[in-house]
Amino acid sequence: MPVFNYNARDGGGNSTEGTVEAPNRREALRRLQARGLKPSKVEESGAAIRAKESAKEGGVADKDLQPTSADCLPFLESMADLVRSGMSAGESLRLLALRLQKSRLRTLCAGLWARLGEGQSLSVAMGAYPKVFDGQTLNLIAAGEATGNLRDVIERLISHFTEQREFRRKLVSALSYPVFICFVAVGVIIFFVLFLLPRLETLLKSLGGEMPLATKMLIWFANTLLWVGPIFAIILIVGAIFIHEWRKKEAGMLASDGLLLKLPLAGTFVMRVSVLNFCHTLAVLLENGITTAEALRLAEKTAPNRALRQQLREATNRVLEGDSLSKALGRTGYFPRLLLDRVAVAEQTGNLAPGLRDISRSYRADLDRWLNTVSQTISASVLITAFSFVAFIAFAIVSAVFKVSQSFSF
């Protein structure tokens, strides 16, 4: 149990000092007051208090020690290991603040422990770190504290964040190869057109003779790209700056997000990911005792697209006015009919949270298959296009060499 050093005055006004054992600073103050002492200074002894004081978020001098959102899942996993063994949240934080090796996690735990010692609840203490814990996490922790199910809440949060992390990994893995192929193809084409072809053109012209049509087309394309390319690059840069400034305004961000949803491939991807996050987050919130109204308000914020988020907000308002969830979501036009039918069945049977969990699980598998199909299609299309262009370049060069060689007289 922690030991606190104190300075206090007794009933006669005499100054006294000593130590007292207590689980936290508030309990130490209560025990001193029960002895008839008026404490003027109470500090925890040892190196732990120095770690706690240096760990407060506002007092961290080194920016590398400031906790970030990446520390949320490791923190919950570390805390869950101790809570499973029967330790309280406060004792778990105290032990983690002393034993963890990672500086940022130790700083986070020490700061939370310091705030718990001041009488704050865990959810309130976690609210002092908005860069680490979002509103959904704070509400779930608060619900767990109120219902006495903190351990179950932490376990479900770990499962939720782990699934999100795995999905992001799959997403990056599915899109990295097509992006790499695109960069390689563009690099090869630029090398041929801007570096190799001009030298070959000079050589062919010095040899004389009539060049074939394919070579003429290739040279025309290269010469056009030489003066069109910079103009196109300037247009792209100016357009990117304009869009960036436009999206700084709320109306511009809403309009641009609405246009993004109408794009054939990107819009489908954004809608699918947003629908998955909405269903999964809503299931987690409802399973942990959050009210339907609050859960819908929190779940709608998971949509990164402002236009889609606005539609979800309107759907939430319809539900609060008495409409069914499936009907309200159907009016947005972004949810598949089969998904809406499953939501309606879950509502009718009174198993909305488990139903949404099953829906998000199957929808995630469907999204994984769709991503794999799209990534393979893009990769194949880019490879075929690049190889076709390289083959055309090779044909134009070889045909030009043969054409010129025929003009030689031996």
Side-chain angles (χ1 to χ4, degrees):
M1 185 174 294
V3 177
F4 294 84
N5 299 323
Y6 68 87
N7 291 330
R9 292 186 179 277
D10 56 19
N14 298 320
S15 178
T16 182
E17 60 183 27
T19 61
V20 60
E21 290 188 358
N24 51 55
R25 186 175 183 274
R26 182 175 59 177
E27 179 63 19
L29 291 172
R30 190 191 66 79
R31 292 183 181 183
L32 291 174
Q33 291 172 354
R35 297 179 187 177
L37 299 176
K38 296 181 180 179
S40 59
K41 183 179 181 182
V42 177
E43 291 182 347
E44 188 174 350
S45 62
I49 187 61
R50 292 193 295 271
K52 287 168 61 176
E53 291 177 347
S54 62
K56 290 197 175 182
E57 193 174 32
V60 178
D62 189 354
K63 292 184 178 180
D64 294 336
L65 295 180
Q66 293 183 1
T68 63
S69 58
D71 299 312
C72 180
L73 180 57
F75 164 76
L76 292 174
E77 290 174 337
S78 300
M79 190 170 179
D81 292 336
L82 298 178
V83 172
R84 290 191 198 102
S85 64
M87 297 182 66
S88 64
E91 286 297 314
S92 300
L93 289 172
R94 185 181 71 85
L95 188 59
L96 291 173
L98 297 174
R99 297 290 185 262
L100 284 176
Q101 299 298 322
K102 293 184 179 180
S103 299
R104 291 190 308 187
L105 278 180
R106 187 170 62 249
T107 298
L108 175 61
C109 294
L112 292 174
W113 180 30
R115 288 177 171 83
L116 287 181
E118 295 171 357
Q120 297 181 4
S121 64
L122 180 59
S123 57
V124 174
M126 292 170 66
Y129 297 88
K131 294 181 180 179
V132 182
F133 307 105
D134 56 16
Q136 301 170 22
T137 303
L138 297 178
N139 283 326
L140 289 175
I141 293 295
E145 289 180 301
T147 58
N149 296 322
L150 184 60
R151 173 181 171 179
D152 294 337
V153 170
I154 293 177
E155 295 286 354
R156 288 173 179 171
L157 281 173
I158 291 174
S159 176
H160 173 64
F161 287 129
T162 301
E163 290 181 6
Q164 284 190 334
R165 183 180 61 183
E166 292 302 319
F167 175 72
R168 286 194 294 268
R169 287 180 179 177
K170 290 181 180 179
L171 178 61
V172 172
S173 176
L175 297 180
S176 58
Y177 183 67
V179 172
F180 172 74
I181 293 298
C182 289
F183 273 106
V184 171
V186 171
V188 170
I189 292 174
I190 291 176
F191 173 75
F192 271 102
V193 172
L194 299 183
F195 295 96
L196 183 60
L197 194 58
R199 290 167 175 77
L200 182 63
E201 180 184 4
T202 302
L203 176 61
L204 294 176
K205 287 183 178 179
S206 65
L207 295 176
E210 183 69 19
M211 288 184 291
L213 178 60
T215 308
K216 291 181 179 179
M217 291 175 59
L218 187 60
I219 293 174
W220 173 84
F221 176 76
N223 293 332
T224 303
L225 187 62
L226 285 174
W227 65 271
V228 173
I231 297 177
F232 184 70
I234 292 174
I235 293 176
L236 284 180
I237 295 174
V238 173
I241 295 175
F242 172 77
I243 293 175
H244 177 71
E245 295 297 326
W246 185 38
R247 284 180 60 84
K248 287 183 177 179
K249 301 177 181 179
E250 184 66 25
M253 183 174 292
L254 185 62
S256 60
D257 284 351
L259 292 175
L260 177 63
L261 293 175
K262 296 179 181 179
L263 296 179
L265 192 60
T268 303
F269 171 73
V270 171
M271 282 190 291
R272 284 173 175 262
V273 173
S274 299
V275 168
L276 174 61
N277 288 338
F278 177 82
C279 293
H280 187 262
T281 303
L282 185 59
V284 172
L285 294 171
L286 292 175
E287 285 174 343
N288 287 278
I290 303 298
T291 62
T292 303
E294 186 65 22
L296 287 171
R297 290 300 184 194
L298 292 171
E300 73 185 27
K301 296 178 182 178
T302 60
N305 188 281
R306 295 295 183 92
L308 181 56
R309 191 186 306 172
Q310 186 180 51
Q311 292 295 324
L312 292 175
R313 186 178 300 114
E314 293 177 0
T316 300
N317 293 334
R318 295 190 189 101
V319 172
L320 298 180
E321 292 172 359
D323 211 347
S324 66
L325 179 61
S326 57
K327 187 176 180 181
L329 294 178
R331 291 184 180 180
T332 64
Y334 297 129
F335 288 77
R337 290 301 312 171
L338 180 59
L339 187 148
L340 294 174
D341 292 339
R342 296 179 64 180
V343 172
V345 172
E347 285 183 297
Q348 293 171 3
T349 58
N351 296 318
L352 183 57
L356 286 172
R357 172 71 71 175
D358 293 337
I359 290 171
S360 63
R361 188 179 297 111
S362 60
Y363 198 74
R364 184 185 300 276
D366 180 66
L367 180 58
D368 289 340
R369 290 191 294 269
W370 181 82
L371 279 175
N372 290 331
T373 302
V374 170
S375 63
Q376 292 174 4
T377 303
I378 293 176
S379 301
S381 302
V382 173
L383 283 174
I384 292 173
T385 303
F387 287 156
S388 300
F389 191 79
V390 172
F392 175 73
I393 293 175
F395 172 76
I397 293 174
V398 173
S399 61
V401 171
F402 276 108
K403 186 74 173 180
V404 172
S405 64
Q406 291 176 1
S407 64
F408 293 162
S409 57
F410 298 96

